[in-house]
Structure formats: structure tokens, C-alpha cells
Amino acid sequence: MQSNQLSRRRFLQLSGMGAASVVLLAACQAPAAAPAAEGGEAAAPSAEGVTLTFGHHWDAAFQPRQAEFDAGYAERHPGTKFEITYNTWAEHNQIVPTWAAAGTLPDIIYVHGRYAYPWSFEGIVIPTQDYVENDAEFDVDGIWEESRRLYMLDGKQYGIPYDHGPIIMGYNKDLFDAEGLAYPAEDWTWDDFLELAKKLTKENQWGYGGYYNTVVGLGNEQGISLVGPWGGEVIDETETKILLDSPESTAALQWWSDLIHVHNVAPTPAMSTAVPAGIRLTGQAAMFALASWGTPELIQNAAFQWDVAPWPKGPAGSKAGAFGSGFGITRDSKQPDAAWDYMREYLSKEGMEFMWGSSGRGSPSRQAAYDSWLNSEGAPEHAKFYLDALNNYAVTGRPYNTLAGGEILDIFNRHTDLVQAGEMSVEEAIAGIIAEGTPVLEEAAAKKGQSS
Amino acid sequence: MLQTIMTRTRRKPLTLAQREERDFYLFIGLWLIGFILFSGGPILASLFFSFTNWTGLTSMEWIGLGNFKELLFEDKLFWTATRNTFFYSFGAVTLGTMGALFVAILMNQNLPGTTLLRVIYYLPSIASGVAISILWIWLFNPQSGLVNYALSLIGIEGPLWLASPTWALPALVIKSLWGIGANMIILLAGLQAIPHSLYEAAKIDGANQAQEFRHVTLPMLSPVLFFVLIISTINSFQILTDVLVMTQGGPGTSTYVYVYMIYQNAFQYLKMGYASALAWILFIIILGLTLLQLWGSSKWVYYEDEGR
């Protein structure tokens, strides 16, 4: 036998080591005419031959709406072409940083509120403050301040929000009718809610279904909605201190936990996840938290009558969380002026009405455009309660002004998961969140401070 | 003169060994170029990044061993992820290898229909990871899932599986058995390479089936088993898809595994330097385990050409 011929042993060793090395190292909606914007006519046509690139997250059903808007824009700005990359919502937030690292960001990207601050801080999205200030026809004040603050860094506007919505209470009218109960009153309280929830709970049916199956959750729009009515806060304004250990916040979280474990009017995670479509959609939840952007899904899928009511008042009054999404011009854009020309029309009153209002897709971040959504097929009968919340008691849910937003929310979730499952007390969860979360917030604040 | 030059420049014909060596480099060459260009560079870069606080975007500072110190001495989640990963790996490799060996032995029987059965057992291992993970969410559904239905048939009330902090990780171990087909094929090839003469000799010596398995099958199959163990261990340490799709590390931190921690830090928290340090620690862990297995192999792996 040749001395260098591979024996079976040698082959297996080499294959094993080779494969090991590689794997190891590797570890390391209804059409309408597309609008011209406020001031759109006044805007100078884009330069001939401009190709604008986008990173959107629209699903296939909504892409024709986008194409229609773009076609209208191209008519108003001859020579403009569009190259659009549609990511899934889940993947978009991971794809954008890789585009940024590679220097291949499109001109305009979708920016979820949760990523607005870190993406602005890291320079992925450039400031639009100068454009906003120098564009008299772009009515930035017509966009709710609560939604704009998501997209601000050091007092400057970066991204521009296109939608902003609060959490209010959705309810299954059929289940109320079956029990002969009156629908929630406009001035109802959490005590009223609990009484109704008890009456509406029976086998395989819960009085309250949570927010996307989560009863005790501290996500941006949910966290403040849970503790706010009791006078509590999730996190302070500097976003360096977690405030869940205040008597108000603790009492509030205990009240929500008791819905599951004491009053048995809300499901444990095991119960709710046992219904893959979600108990809200299957009609097994009499009441459920519902953000404005969640209404199209119900309209499309719910086989029952439903409506919305205000978020109930607590001992400290009315308070609910709101959140939203927007768009930003990126640092890799070679034509930020052309990108702004597009953004000012896209996010104008007429643009928002066309894209998100009359299409029923979601609640526009401009009050002036809100009526188009309230009157659309995508809005429930009493959708005006969303507008009431935005105008009166909804606040943008923190954290959104820290580089550690994602990490903090994951820390919240890891603990509230266990509270919901009955594996951890509220006090233990709060202590764990503070112990784990405070250093993370402090580190993020230090990094923020270093750069400023 | 010309004849002399031609004689001088004529190349000696390659020996069989040299031809084999040339073929080896030709075959491996393309892969090697791809590896150096698309993997080698990023791997070396990640080593550098592990000593920085790079976000993957703009800012970067050299922080020396800062990431490693924080991971090893301050970040409790690191130890949770490591512990969970070891638990998962131990369960998945042990049960997976035993399961693959058991099925390979069954598939090695000279019975009608075994070819079709081999295909059936192998098919799951080539199915899409995400689709299979979603399928298993349904199977583990505490109320309407097939797993708890099967248990109910024998009078057992099944646990909450993925919704239970106690059972979620064992559930992922059970799910990992779905992919034993790939190892089954390797082990089946190993079983079929064992000369029949050895079994005949054992029979002549009076060995029963258990003794044949212990003294013929296992020693002859040991190099293949060793290969399967190493590859399975490495793969198991890199579990991500199942966690990402089925549990997102929860409930609590019950299924928070190592590569999920790398993924979160790198792509969700924009802590690329920290994630790089995590990746290199994982590299060291797996390298250590592989070396340990190599060292241990001298005690149980039998190579025919060694004559032991």
C-alpha cells in the first residue's frame, strides 16, 4: 500500500477535523388615485434620471399600494425611478445593520420606533432637521409630538413617523351579547373591567386575552399601559433607572398577574399558545388589548362582531402606551435631497391618507390624516377612541431613548414570561429586572455620554 | 543536441502517490479558495473585533480583554446559556447517536422494504429547518398536540412542553431526534462495510448476537461512531433555528442557548465585539471538547489497519 494513501482511519480523522474546523469557525388594501402632496406641486421636480432605492417591509398584499403611490410620484417628478427591496418585518431589523456595515443602505428605509434611536445614534439614519426647518410646506407640527420624539436624537429630528397608535380595549360583541352584558362604557374603570371579565370567563373562553396573548408584558406600548393607570412608570425619563419597584408599579403588575392566577379570567401562556391562531382571533377572548395597527387583521379574520372601547381608567386616571413606525434617509444615500423630495410627499397629509389612512392599513401619525383612517374599512365602529387616546392620555412607551432598548425589553420579557407562567412572583420578577437591567442601562448611558 | 535537451526536459511520470496527492489538492482547491476568501477573512476579523466594542457599524474602541472579562465574570446570562447548551448537547448527542445507531441496525437487516424505509428515515433530515420547527410547535401543543395525545393513550398527562420552564429544553432535545436520518446513513454505511467473514468467524467461535454486536459490530463501527459523535457534538452546540422559531430562549431563560446569545448580541443589540468574543469562547469550548474526544478515542476506537 502507498505510504500516503488515506486509510479509513486517516480519512475519518481528516474528515472529522476538517468538518469540525469549518463548523467551529463558522460559529465565530382599496385603490384610490395617488395624491399630490401639500406643497407637492410647489416641489421642484426631481432631477431627470434619479433612481430612489428603498428598504420596505410591506407584505405582498400592500405592495400594490406602494407601487401606485410611486407611479403617481413618478408622474409628478418625471424621470424618477424606484428600486425597492421588500424585507419581511422580522428580518428587516437585522438586514439594515448588515446593509449599513457593507455600505449598501438604500436611500430610504423603514425604521420601527424601537430601532429609531440606535440607528440614528449609529448614523444609519441621517438628520432631517434641516430639511424640516427649511421646508415651509412640510407641516412637521401636524405630526403628533409623541410620535416625533421617537425619532429625535439630541434635539434633532432624524426619521419621520408615518404611523402612531395607542393601545385601547378591543372586545368581542358576540360574547357580550351572549351573556346579555352591556358593552363597555366610555368612562369605565379597571374595576368595571374585572367584573365584566369574571362574567365573560367560562370553559375555553377568557374574559381577557391580553395583548397578542401577553397579559403581563412590559413592551413599549404595553408596559406603560399596564402600570400607568395605577400611577406607575416603567422607566424614568433619562432611561437609566427602572421604576417598576415603586408601590404603584408593583401594585399594578400584581393586579395584572392576579388576572391569571387569582381571578382566572386570563390565560397562562400555555393556555393561550395552545391556540395557534391566538384566542383573540378565534373568538375565545371577550376583551383584548388592541393597538390601531392590529385592526386590519381582525377585520380580515374575525368571524365575530367586535369593537373598541377606551383603555379603562385606573386609580390614577387614564393612561395608555402608544408606539409607531417611520422612515429615514440613510447615510449611504448619494441623493438625500431627492430622498427628502420623496419623503415630504410620502409623509404629507395626502400621502399618509393615501398610504395608510384610506387603505385601512393603520393609523397615520398626522392628526389631519386620521379621519381618512377612521372612515376607512380598516377601522372599527368606535375607532375614534384611538384618536381620543392620542389626544388625551396616550404616551409613547419607554424605553426608546437608550441604546439598550432591545436588550432591556428582552430582560423584561424573560421575567414577565415566568410571572405569567406562575413560576415567579411579581416581586421576584421586579427585583430580577432591576438587577439585570440597571447595569445594561447604565452602560448604554455611558456610551451615549461618551459620544456627546 | 536536441535529443539531449528533450531527454533533459522530459518529465518523469508521476507516481500513484503523487497523482493522488495532485488530485487531492485539485478537489479540495476550490473549496479551500472559497473558505479563505469568504470565511477565513471574517474569522480572523472576528478575533480582532472580540477585543473591541464594535457595534458592527461605526464606533470601535480597543478594550483588550474587556469583553472576555465581562462574559466570564459579570454576565450571568453567559453561564445560563453555556449550561443550557451543555444540557442540550448532552441530550441531543447521546439520544441522537443511540437512536441513529438503533435505526441503522434495523435498516441493515436484509428484509423487503428496507430501501424505502431508509429513504423515509432520511427524509426529515433534509427538510427545511424553520418549517420543521413550526411543525414541532404544533406537535408539542399541550392541548391539541400529537405528543401529548400519544402520552394520553398510555395514561400519561403530558407536560406543557414549550410553555414550561422545566420541559422546554427537554422538548428541544426530543425535537433534535427528528434529524437522526443523516447520522443513520453514515452509520449504515459503516455497518455495511464490516466484513461478513468476521461475523462468520464469531459464529464459529460460538458467539451469540449480543456478543457479535459487542465484539464485532461495535469495534468495527467505532471509527464511524467517533466521527458521528464529533460532528453531532459540534452541531448540537450550534443550535439556533429551533430556539429562534420555537421558544426565543424562553420561557424565562430555560432555552436560552449559546448561539442565540451570539445572534442577539450581534444583530439585535448591535454588540458585534461582544458577540465575537462569545463566538471565540464557543470555539475554544468546542475545540476542547473535540480534543477531549480525540484523546478518549484511543481507548475505545478501533482502527483495522492498526491491528489492535
Side-chain angles (χ1 to χ4, degrees):
Chain A
M1 189 177 280
Q2 298 292 328
S3 60
N4 66 339
Q5 189 167 347
L6 294 178
S7 66
R8 191 159 65 131
R9 176 194 183 183
R10 191 73 187 137
F11 169 76
L12 287 165
Q13 279 182 332
L14 284 172
S15 308
M17 290 299 283
S21 305
V22 175
V23 185
L24 274 167
L25 291 169
C28 319
Q29 226 127 159
E38 63 201 31
E41 310 237 336
S46 296
E48 291 262 340
V50 165
T51 299
L52 289 169
T53 55
F54 294 82
H56 279 304
H57 78 288
W58 308 136
D59 50 63
F62 196 59
Q63 289 170 17
R65 193 78 176 186
Q66 182 65 53
E68 203 174 342
F69 180 89
D70 291 345
Y73 186 88
E75 274 180 29
R76 296 188 296 278
H77 302 266
T80 307
K81 291 177 183 166
F82 302 94
E83 281 179 13
I84 301 178
T85 301
Y86 288 108
N87 300 317
T88 63
W89 194 91
E91 289 174 346
H92 181 81
N93 304 318
Q94 275 83 57
I95 287 172
V96 166
T98 59
W99 277 342
T104 57
L105 286 161
D107 295 307
I108 297 172
I109 54 168
Y110 163 80
V111 184
H112 182 252
R114 181 170 162 181
Y115 294 91
Y117 189 88
W119 289 3
S120 302
F121 182 86
E122 293 292 347
I124 292 178
V125 175
I126 63 169
T128 55
Q129 185 69 31
D130 287 346
Y131 290 116
V132 169
E133 280 177 3
N134 296 317
D135 191 333
E137 288 166 337
F138 184 78
D139 178 20
V140 71
D141 294 330
I143 300 174
W144 271 288
E145 189 185 351
E146 280 295 325
S147 68
R148 278 189 282 135
R149 66 170 78 242
L150 269 175
Y151 294 87
M152 297 190 85
L153 174 69
D154 297 332
K156 284 185 185 170
Q157 195 72 46
Y158 278 66
I160 308 279
Y162 73 83
D163 108 314
H164 198 75
I167 283 185
I168 60 174
M169 192 68 74
Y171 61 94
N172 184 322
K173 293 168 81 171
D174 291 355
L175 297 183
F176 273 74
D177 293 344
E179 296 300 318
L181 295 169
Y183 301 144
E186 203 167 320
D187 59 346
W188 68 327
T189 67
W190 286 109
D191 290 337
D192 301 330
F193 164 88
L194 182 55
E195 288 309 309
L196 282 169
K198 286 176 180 173
K199 290 174 184 167
L200 288 158
T201 299
K202 50 175 71 172
E203 190 174 354
N204 283 326
Q205 178 182 309
W206 289 271
Y208 180 64
Y211 181 55
Y212 294 104
N213 283 345
T214 304
V215 178
V216 186
L218 293 166
N220 291 95
E221 62 273 24
Q222 191 181 12
I224 190 62
S225 299
L226 300 200
V227 301
W230 276 259
E233 292 284 348
V234 175
I235 198 164
D236 74 333
E237 286 185 5
T238 64
E239 298 199 2
T240 55
K241 189 170 167 54
I242 296 163
L243 303 174
L244 293 171
D245 57 345
S246 72
E248 294 84 4
S249 295
T250 305
L253 288 178
Q254 189 62 58
W255 189 90
W256 286 94
S257 174
D258 288 350
L259 289 184
I260 305 174
H261 304 296
V262 175
H263 305 299
N264 301 312
V265 298
T268 62
M271 291 168 177
S272 51
T273 54
V275 183
I279 60 172
R280 184 185 67 176
L281 281 183
T282 57
Q284 291 171 271
M287 294 178 281
F288 41 84
L290 186 64
S292 49
W293 53 83
T295 59
E297 186 191 26
L298 270 179
I299 285 171
Q300 200 173 344
N301 299 301
F304 53 85
Q305 297 297 308
W306 62 277
D307 202 353
V308 291
W311 195 242
K313 289 178 183 169
S318 292
K319 199 162 195 178
F323 218 64
S325 295
F327 288 95
I329 301 172
T330 73
R331 71 175 181 214
D332 290 342
S333 175
K334 302 285 187 294
Q335 46 200 4
D337 292 350
W340 173 253
D341 283 346
Y342 181 92
M343 286 256 287
R344 67 191 298 281
E345 290 195 26
Y346 196 48
L347 303 178
S348 66
K349 172 180 174 285
E350 292 81 3
M352 286 192 187
E353 285 176 341
F354 178 79
M355 285 300 299
W356 303 284
S358 59
S359 68
R361 178 82 179 188
S363 45
S365 60
R366 285 184 182 278
Q367 177 146 10
Y370 223 79
D371 275 348
S372 63
W373 179 67
L374 296 180
N375 297 323
S376 75
E377 291 177 357
E381 185 183 351
H382 287 94
K384 64 170 185 175
F385 289 133
Y386 284 111
L387 190 56
D388 286 347
L390 283 174
N391 284 332
N392 298 306
Y393 61 89
V395 294
T396 302
R398 294 183 187 279
Y400 58 79
N401 209 8
T402 169
L403 294 169
E407 204 169 349
I408 282 296
L409 293 175
D410 284 338
I411 291 170
F412 289 169
N413 287 338
R414 284 201 289 270
H415 291 83
T416 52
D417 264 6
L418 296 176
V419 171
Q420 292 187 104
E423 302 274 345
M424 186 181 269
S425 71
V426 166
E427 287 79 8
E428 286 171 332
I430 291 172
I433 286 170
I434 291 173
E436 208 177 317
T438 304
V440 173
L441 286 173
E442 286 172 350
E443 186 187 333
K447 188 175 177 188
K448 195 170 142 185
Q450 279 168 9
S451 72
S452 58
Chain B
M1 181 65 178
L2 183 63
Q3 194 178 9
T4 311
I5 293 168
M6 285 179 72
T7 308
R8 275 186 192 162
T9 56
R10 187 184 295 156
R11 298 174 67 181
K12 263 178 75 180
L14 295 174
T15 64
L16 176 62
Q18 286 170 324
R19 287 203 304 274
E20 285 197 339
E21 192 174 342
R22 179 198 61 194
D23 292 347
F24 170 78
Y25 284 112
L26 275 175
F27 278 115
I28 205 171
L30 277 177
W31 177 88
L32 207 57
I33 292 167
F35 176 75
I36 291 167
L37 285 179
F38 301 113
S39 298
I43 287 166
L44 286 177
S46 76
L47 181 60
F48 173 75
F49 296 146
S50 69
F51 298 106
T52 72
N53 63 355
W54 190 46
T55 61
L57 299 167
T58 49
S59 49
M60 188 194 297
E61 270 178 65
W62 181 266
I63 56 169
L65 293 171
N67 287 327
F68 293 95
K69 279 182 191 164
E70 187 177 339
L71 276 169
L72 295 170
F73 303 111
E74 295 169 30
D75 194 340
K76 288 180 184 167
L77 215 50
F78 166 79
W79 292 106
T80 303
T82 305
R83 189 175 59 243
N84 287 344
T85 309
F86 267 91
F87 178 94
Y88 172 82
S89 180
F90 180 76
V93 172
T94 307
L95 294 177
T97 306
M98 287 187 346
L101 179 60
F102 178 70
V103 177
I105 290 168
L106 290 179
M107 295 300 106
N108 197 34
Q109 307 305 308
N110 199 14
L111 296 170
T114 46
T115 306
L116 178 66
L117 284 170
R118 284 173 197 168
V119 173
I120 292 172
Y121 274 102
Y122 184 67
L123 269 179
S125 63
I126 56 169
S128 156
V130 172
I132 300 306
S133 296
I134 292 171
L135 174 74
W136 275 90
I137 292 176
W138 285 62
L139 289 171
F140 280 128
N141 187 306
Q143 286 180 1
S144 55
L146 280 177
V147 175
N148 276 4
Y149 173 71
L151 289 172
S152 72
L153 295 177
I154 52 171
I156 297 173
E157 188 184 343
L160 298 174
W161 295 116
L162 301 175
S164 159
T166 308
W167 283 97
L169 195 54
L172 293 182
V173 171
I174 293 169
K175 189 266 165 188
S176 74
L177 300 180
W178 174 268
I180 62 172
N183 285 340
M184 177 208 73
I185 290 290
I186 295 169
L187 290 167
L188 184 58
L191 284 170
Q192 293 186 339
I194 300 172
H196 281 282
S197 57
L198 294 178
Y199 289 107
E200 286 162 7
K203 276 193 176 71
I204 291 167
D205 287 345
N208 58 28
Q209 279 195 320
Q211 287 169 322
E212 276 182 18
F213 181 76
R214 166 73 184 83
H215 296 291
V216 178
T217 307
L218 272 185
M220 294 300 289
L221 196 62
S222 59
V224 185
L225 267 173
F226 177 54
F227 172 78
V228 166
L229 272 175
I230 285 188
I231 296 303
S232 302
T233 304
I234 293 166
N235 285 338
S236 66
F237 265 82
Q238 298 187 63
I239 177 181
L240 175 65
T241 307
D242 291 347
V243 171
L244 210 54
V245 177
M246 296 170 74
T247 64
Q248 294 87 52
T253 53
S254 58
T255 60
Y256 196 83
V257 292
Y258 204 101
V259 178
Y260 186 63
M261 186 174 183
I262 295 177
Y263 166 78
Q264 281 203 313
N265 277 284
F267 299 105
Q268 294 186 330
Y269 307 157
L270 298 177
K271 291 182 170 180
M272 201 61 80
Y274 201 63
S276 298
L278 271 165
W280 276 92
I281 292 176
L282 180 62
F283 171 77
I284 290 163
I285 291 172
I286 301 179
L287 181 67
L289 281 174
T290 307
L291 290 173
L292 194 67
Q293 285 175 314
L294 277 170
W295 172 77
S297 70
S298 63
K299 304 195 185 311
W300 67 277
V301 178
Y302 170 78
Y303 293 102
E304 214 178 338
D305 57 325
E306 281 186 336
R308 286 195 286 124

